[in-house]
Amino acid sequence: MGKLVYDFIEGNKDLKDLLGGKGANLAEMTNLGLPVPPGFTITTEACRHYLRHGTLPEGLAAEVDEHLARLERAMGRTLGDPADPLLVSVRSGAKFSMPGMMETVLNIGLSDASVHGLAAQAGNERFAWDSYRRLIQMFGKTVLGIGGHEVERAIDEAKRAKGTASDLDLDAGDLRALTETFKSIVRAATGREFPQQPREQLDMAIRAVFDSWNAERAILYRRQERIPGDLGTAVSVVAMVFGNLGPDSGTGVAFTRDPSTGHQGIYGDYLQNAQGEDVVAGIRNTVPLQDLERIDPRSYAELLAIMKTLENHYQDLCDIEFTIERGKLWMLQTRVGKRTAAAAFRIAVQLADQGLIDMDEALRRVTGEQLAQLMFPRFGATEAATTITTAISASPGAAVGRAVFDSATAAQWAERGEHVILVRRETNPDDLPGMIAAQGILTSRGGKTSHAAVVARGMGKTCVCGAEQLDVDVAARRFTAAGSGPGSQITVREGDVISIDGTSGAVYLGEVPVVASPVVEYFEGKLDPASDELVTAVHRIMTHADARRRLGVQANADTGEDAARAVRFGAEGIGLTRTEHMFLGERRQLVERLILAEDDAGRQAALAELEPLQRGDFVEILAAMDGMPVTIRLLDPPLHEFLPDLTELSVKVALAGAGATERDRRLLEAVRRLHEQNPMLGLRGVRLGLVIPGLFAMQVRAIARAAADRVKAGGNPHPEIMIPLVGAVQELEIAREEAEKVLAQVAAETGVDLHVPIGTMIEVPRAALTAGQIAQAAEFFSLGTNDLTQMGWGFSRDDVEGAFFGRYIEMGIFGVSPFETLDAEGVGRLVRIAVDEGRAARPGLTIGVCGEHGGDPESVRFFHGAGLDYVSCSPFRVPVARLEAGRAVVLESAGGSDSR
């Protein structure tokens, strides 16, 4: 194994794979000459070795010794020296930001002996004991696995005894006594004294940070954010600088732009006389960063200059953590900041306008998931709503749900279908399951840089923070707030409905109605792009995406209304019209007559009644998509889906006895005859068309006559006929021969020259594997990835998603449902085979996809790489597909990876 430890002066921002984001960026800031405390980083390779083998890699201890000695020389102090101690922090840092999900330990090196040396060094006994109790508190939870409740209870008791609600009112004696209490808690929980040897503390902390990579909350976060589980974390060991030395010290978090809106300005939080974890944890309410100008003008000016340097250097929004130690500014971290969807679009366009990036890079920096978030509804009129309070708008959106007061309840209620709002004093990383389950998050403490705010923005969750007017009583499962009248009070109990507005920070009692997003109104053509700043940004990026993309984007639509909406959203055709949807409602009776027909005459009569209805449907869709292709899939599902349920009908007939109607008896007989153990693999698709004479012919005739009607009306129809569930070329050849005869007959009848391409869905694995044969009889392929996934995995979608997919995702068998994002390794290989062999047999063969994957961002990028001509998805997902099709091109040109 190679080099395992790097000094900050040896790294740079491009070594994130090796040094993690934190270590790489600390090195980068050091190289830029910014004030960074000296330190070193242990690589992710060391972590991966430790996680695989359970032991630290050979040679790591010696490298740590060497770099620690170098750090001690630079600082002029020795780790844990009783007279003049060097203290260090031990911090996690993976390649991808995972805020709060892994561990950090501050003040390593303090002991019963060195605490006195620290007091003398700082001239501040209170500060020394405050630092020591913080070490034992963090070390106990992080390294020794001691729950935090006893420690928090001890702090509360100390404050109560002092008659105060603030930690700052505890003096040196109080904190010394608290430290002894913490040590007794460690002794009782572990059977040993708190470690007094500084190097033992350091080694144990390093192992704990490595172990935290596989902590439950870290695993859950990686699944949520689709971060690979085999990357591991680096560990940065940094000389401590102290923000808790008094009023001339403090700690803060700054953003170079507002991560919630994207607006330019000074954004962040500052906390006097505190250590860094206090800000992120939200345990004390901060002041706005602008207040630092009044508190410490010199440090404020230096911070603004550094913020400008970092944004210009990284060419992006930067998230910065800093500490001021007795008027001296130190930079503890920077990273490209997490942001909301609205901020992502605004910032990308702003940076392009400033000349820091080009529009290709702007396109790389937004995602289809973010665009989808912007299309969600927002609150409408709120004048009639009861406002409980207005607090900090931490992550935008409109969320309505029942108030719940802990993570477990949020997850349980959401599992049973309830919409919930997670209400906490402040969140911590253990609340992640509830945060994922909730529609929104409301906290009474913390600001825009608190744990709740940072994680919510990353997940696209609505969040309101710092609602100080709320008295959140988790034990009593309620919160209270002052009412509008003198002495009045609003009480919200668990289960009561509240609404939170992450854009304005308002919290409402009850349910507030929502209205369409302005982004949707823009796509609908109801809003001028220039009328709204966010819409302008979306418009500019979508225009660039459309100019860059190679993939066409079509829509799945079954009605003229759906088709018209798809066109407004930018669809260039219909990739899938499902004709079975036209047999529902009142038309079911005609399908029943078809099924119950006892001879060809009865069957043809039923088909004759169905044909003009289908023809009318097709005329409507072809009119809406005039001049664009419309791919119409012939009947796909088994006929039993149009009949009553077997069990219900059996009970009905049995209860009626001799009084059962003849129709019900005949229906029951037909249902029993058509009943299949596994209907999705039974008589459906092309098999149905070959077995029931005249069924497909009726549909083809309706399509052809609808096209002729549109031509005579001056239209320019482009229908395409798609034959489903083909597994053998012979099936397609027979169905195609029948369809061509019908098309010729209608052309002769109407005098309209019809060119209607005939193709097939590739949705059976055998079809993908014999695509070269099938292409000889098909003018186009449309990949039906829903069925291809079902049959490729051997999954029955209706059963497996609820039965065990959740457990499979927990176990890491797959990171996301293969019905949501295409399985690139398995099903994706079938797709590539179908594309390669199909085009080898028929050069220029048009190939698209019409499964739900056609609107999934990651899958769209796969289809681009596989060489498809178009994707087709629901109308609402068309803008997402357009954006991702453009991103696929610019990501490919940048080497295939997202710039984020």
Side-chain angles (χ1 to χ4, degrees):
M1 188 171 290
K3 184 177 172 68
L4 296 171
V5 183
Y6 288 72
D7 272 342
F8 291 164
I9 58 173
E10 298 176 300
N12 60 66
K13 66 181 175 64
D14 298 323
L15 294 180
K16 288 182 182 179
D17 285 333
L18 189 65
L19 304 179
K22 185 170 294 178
N25 288 324
L26 283 169
E28 190 75 12
M29 288 195 294
T30 300
N31 294 333
L32 287 172
L34 301 182
V36 177
F40 56 87
T41 299
I42 302 169
T43 67
T44 55
E45 288 183 351
C47 177
R48 289 193 291 272
H49 181 281
Y50 174 78
L51 295 176
R52 277 195 304 267
H53 303 288
T55 59
L56 295 174
E58 187 177 348
L60 177 61
E63 287 195 52
V64 170
D65 284 341
E66 176 190 341
H67 288 268
L68 180 59
R70 194 179 299 172
L71 174 59
E72 290 173 333
R73 288 194 297 273
M75 297 298 292
R77 295 172 183 160
T78 302
L79 182 68
D81 179 72
D84 189 17
L86 168 67
L87 304 186
V88 297
S89 62
V90 177
R91 299 173 178 269
S92 62
K95 176 182 179 181
F96 299 106
S97 176
M98 296 172 55
M101 296 303 120
M102 293 181 293
E103 303 296 1
T104 291
V105 186
L106 305 181
N107 305 323
I108 290 288
L110 273 176
S111 65
D112 293 350
S114 64
V115 67
H116 301 290
L118 182 65
Q121 179 192 105
N124 186 330
E125 188 178 7
R126 184 196 181 280
F127 151 74
W129 287 105
D130 183 42
S131 299
Y132 194 16
R133 69 92 183 171
R134 287 172 183 270
L135 167 64
I136 299 171
Q137 183 176 353
M138 295 183 77
F139 197 95
K141 182 179 180 181
T142 297
V143 182
L144 302 177
I146 300 171
H149 300 300
E150 283 190 73
V151 169
E152 289 165 8
R153 188 160 50 246
I155 295 173
D156 290 340
E157 288 174 0
K159 289 189 291 189
R160 192 159 42 247
K162 193 78 172 181
T164 182
S166 172
D167 298 2
L168 297 179
D169 292 329
L170 299 178
D171 60 25
D174 299 323
L175 292 168
R176 182 172 188 164
L178 199 54
T179 301
E180 292 303 320
T181 301
F182 287 1
K183 286 162 64 180
S184 68
I185 291 171
V186 170
R187 191 183 310 118
T190 66
R192 61 163 289 179
E193 297 294 334
F194 179 78
Q196 295 294 307
Q197 294 302 315
R199 184 54 195 270
E200 181 185 12
Q201 293 177 6
L202 178 60
D203 290 342
M204 292 176 71
I206 291 168
R207 284 188 174 89
V209 173
F210 283 163
D211 285 331
S212 71
W213 175 258
N214 282 331
E216 184 177 346
R217 69 190 186 215
I219 293 170
L220 181 60
Y221 186 85
R222 289 198 297 272
R223 288 182 191 137
Q224 176 76 12
E225 299 297 316
R226 300 188 190 182
I227 296 171
D230 59 354
L231 298 178
T233 181
V235 176
S236 292
V237 178
V238 190
M240 283 295 301
V241 290
F242 299 97
N244 57 333
L245 273 167
D248 61 349
S249 303
T251 188
V253 177
F255 295 93
T256 57
R257 295 169 195 248
D258 188 340
S260 181
T261 66
H263 292 140
Q264 293 178 268
I266 309 302
Y267 297 92
D269 299 311
Y270 183 68
L271 197 55
Q272 280 181 280
N273 198 16
Q275 287 198 325
E277 296 303 302
D278 296 342
V279 176
V280 178
I283 58 177
R284 283 168 53 195
N285 282 335
T286 57
V287 298
L289 186 62
Q290 291 90 330
D291 285 12
L292 181 60
E293 185 175 17
R294 170 183 51 81
I295 297 167
D296 186 345
R298 180 178 164 186
S299 295
Y300 181 73
E302 184 181 3
L303 177 63
L304 293 191
I306 289 173
M307 289 168 65
K308 183 176 181 180
T309 297
L310 288 173
E311 180 167 281
N312 288 337
H313 183 71
Y314 282 88
Q315 300 179 336
D316 207 344
L317 159 71
C318 289
D319 171 354
I320 298 162
E321 294 180 18
F322 66 93
T323 282
I324 298 172
E325 180 182 279
R326 289 182 170 165
K328 167 64 177 174
L329 177 67
W330 293 97
M331 307 305 296
L332 302 185
Q333 175 169 303
T334 191
R335 59 191 170 197
V336 171
K338 289 188 178 295
R339 66 208 68 189
T340 64
F345 277 83
R346 284 194 182 105
I347 291 171
V349 170
Q350 289 167 3
L351 293 173
D353 288 344
Q354 290 175 239
L356 291 174
I357 61 175
D358 60 20
M359 283 304 292
D360 273 5
E361 181 61 24
L363 181 53
R364 289 185 197 102
R365 292 190 180 185
V366 297
T367 68
E369 290 94 340
Q370 290 169 333
L371 179 59
Q373 289 174 23
L374 294 180
M375 296 172 72
F376 292 156
R378 56 190 173 89
F379 286 137
T382 58
E383 292 80 6
T386 299
T387 303
I388 300 172
T389 188
T390 299
I392 297 170
S393 52
S395 183
V400 180
R402 299 187 183 278
V404 296
F405 291 87
D406 64 72
S407 174
T409 303
Q412 289 166 6
W413 287 28
E415 181 70 21
R416 71 190 193 204
E418 297 272 10
H419 285 186
V420 299
I421 304 293
L422 179 62
V423 183
R424 302 287 282 164
R425 290 193 186 97
E426 70 273 335
T427 64
N428 62 59
D430 294 330
D431 288 321
L432 184 63
M435 297 174 76
I436 292 172
Q439 301 297 304
I441 300 142
L442 170 63
T443 70
S444 60
R445 299 176 183 170
K448 281 193 174 184
T449 58
S450 65
H451 174 266
V454 172
V455 174
R457 280 195 296 272
M459 295 193 298
K461 294 276 184 182
T462 299
C463 182
V464 173
C465 285
E468 298 179 14
Q469 299 85 352
L470 304 185
D471 182 5
V472 178
D473 189 337
V474 174
R477 324 297 289 179
R478 71 185 181 201
F479 71 77
T480 55
S484 56
S488 65
Q489 181 174 275
I490 296 172
T491 300
V492 172
R493 294 180 172 83
E494 190 157 80
D496 291 347
V497 174
I498 59 174
S499 302
I500 64 172
D501 188 336
T503 303
S504 70
V507 180
Y508 302 103
L509 186 64
E511 181 174 350
V512 176
V514 297
V515 297
S517 152
V519 173
V520 171
E521 292 183 320
Y522 153 66
F523 285 128
E524 290 271 19
K526 299 175 183 176
L527 195 64
D528 186 329
S531 65
D532 180 279
E533 182 188 10
L534 172 60
V535 171
T536 299
V538 171
H539 171 72
R540 288 179 59 187
I541 287 179
M542 291 300 297
T543 300
H544 189 70
D546 285 335
R548 295 291 276 136
R549 66 183 166 92
R550 179 191 60 77
L551 273 176
V553 178
Q554 301 185 20
N556 301 340
D558 305 327
T559 67
E561 182 181 353
D562 284 348
R565 166 172 274 203
V567 171
R568 292 195 298 272
F569 278 25
E572 300 157 325
I574 298 296
L576 175 64
T577 292
R578 292 160 285 218
T579 55
E580 59 268 17
H581 288 184
M582 303 170 182
F583 289 168
L584 301 177
E586 296 178 358
R587 302 182 188 182
R588 279 182 183 272
Q589 295 180 2
L590 295 177
V591 181
E592 287 180 9
R593 285 180 54 191
L594 173 66
I595 294 169
L596 296 178
E598 296 179 348
D599 52 30
D600 284 346
R603 192 161 31 250
Q604 291 303 321
L607 290 171
E609 287 193 65
L610 278 169
E611 185 195 318
L613 300 175
Q614 289 248 281
R615 178 179 177 179
D617 294 331
F618 297 143
V619 166
E620 182 183 0
I621 292 173
L622 291 171
M625 304 302 295
D626 198 55
M628 290 182 272
V630 177
T631 303
I632 301 170
R633 183 179 72 186
L634 303 185
L635 193 64
D636 181 46
L639 288 180
H640 79 85
E641 288 195 8
F642 303 99
L643 297 177
D645 178 75
L646 174 60
T647 302
E648 291 178 6
L649 189 57
S650 297
V651 170
K652 180 181 179 181
V653 171
L655 290 176
T661 65
E662 177 63 21
R663 173 183 174 275
D664 284 347
R665 291 182 184 279
R666 292 182 63 201
L667 269 178
L668 180 57
E669 180 183 338
V671 170
R672 284 174 173 160
R673 184 178 72 249
L674 293 172
H675 179 71
E676 296 173 300
Q677 293 298 321
N678 193 342
M680 298 312 292
L681 298 180
L683 185 59
R684 54 173 287 224
V686 67
R687 305 160 193 171
L688 202 59
L690 298 182
V691 169
I692 298 181
L695 176 61
F696 276 10
M698 177 275 291
Q699 292 194 288
V700 172
R701 190 174 298 109
I703 294 167
R705 287 177 172 167
D709 291 345
R710 286 295 304 145
V711 170
K712 290 179 178 179
N716 182 23
H718 290 279
E720 300 180 352
I721 293 171
M722 182 159 66
I723 297 169
L725 212 74
V726 165
V729 67
Q730 293 86 349
E731 293 172 312
L732 180 57
E733 287 170 344
I734 295 169
R736 180 187 180 105
E737 183 180 1
E738 180 185 36
E740 287 176 336
K741 287 179 180 177
V742 173
L743 290 171
Q745 290 167 0
V746 173
E749 288 173 11
T750 61
V752 176
D753 183 21
L754 296 172
H755 173 66
V756 182
I758 299 172
T760 186
M761 288 186 80
I762 301 295
E763 51 190 330
V764 177
R766 189 182 190 279
L769 296 172
T770 59
Q773 298 175 25
I774 292 174
Q776 296 174 20
E779 293 174 80
F780 65 87
F781 282 172
S782 180
L783 295 156
T785 52
N786 296 346
D787 270 335
L788 205 56
T789 297
Q790 286 201 102
M791 297 184 204
W793 275 91
F795 286 155
S796 170
R797 180 173 187 175
D798 292 339
D799 299 320
V800 298
E801 289 198 289
F804 62 83
F805 266 28
R807 181 67 178 139
Y808 262 40
I809 290 172
E810 287 176 11
M811 296 169 70
I813 293 173
F814 39 65
V816 64
S817 165
F819 292 107
E820 180 182 338
T821 295
L822 190 81
D823 161 31
E825 293 179 351
V827 178
R829 188 174 180 200
L830 291 173
V831 168
R832 290 186 183 278
I833 290 170
V835 172
D836 294 344
E837 296 191 4
R839 289 200 174 127
R842 185 188 282 261
L845 178 71
T846 298
I847 304 177
V849 60
C850 62
E852 291 180 28
H853 298 106
D856 170 67
E858 190 173 328
S859 304
V860 170
R861 297 194 295 273
F862 171 84
F863 295 133
H864 167 85
L868 270 65
D869 295 297
Y870 69 88
V871 296
S872 185
C873 55
S874 70
F876 195 78
R877 299 291 289 182
V878 164
V880 173
R882 288 166 51 203
L883 180 73
E884 286 296 345
R887 290 188 74 237
V889 174
V890 298
L891 287 170
E892 187 176 60
S893 68
S897 63
D898 194 319
S899 66
R900 310 290 323 140

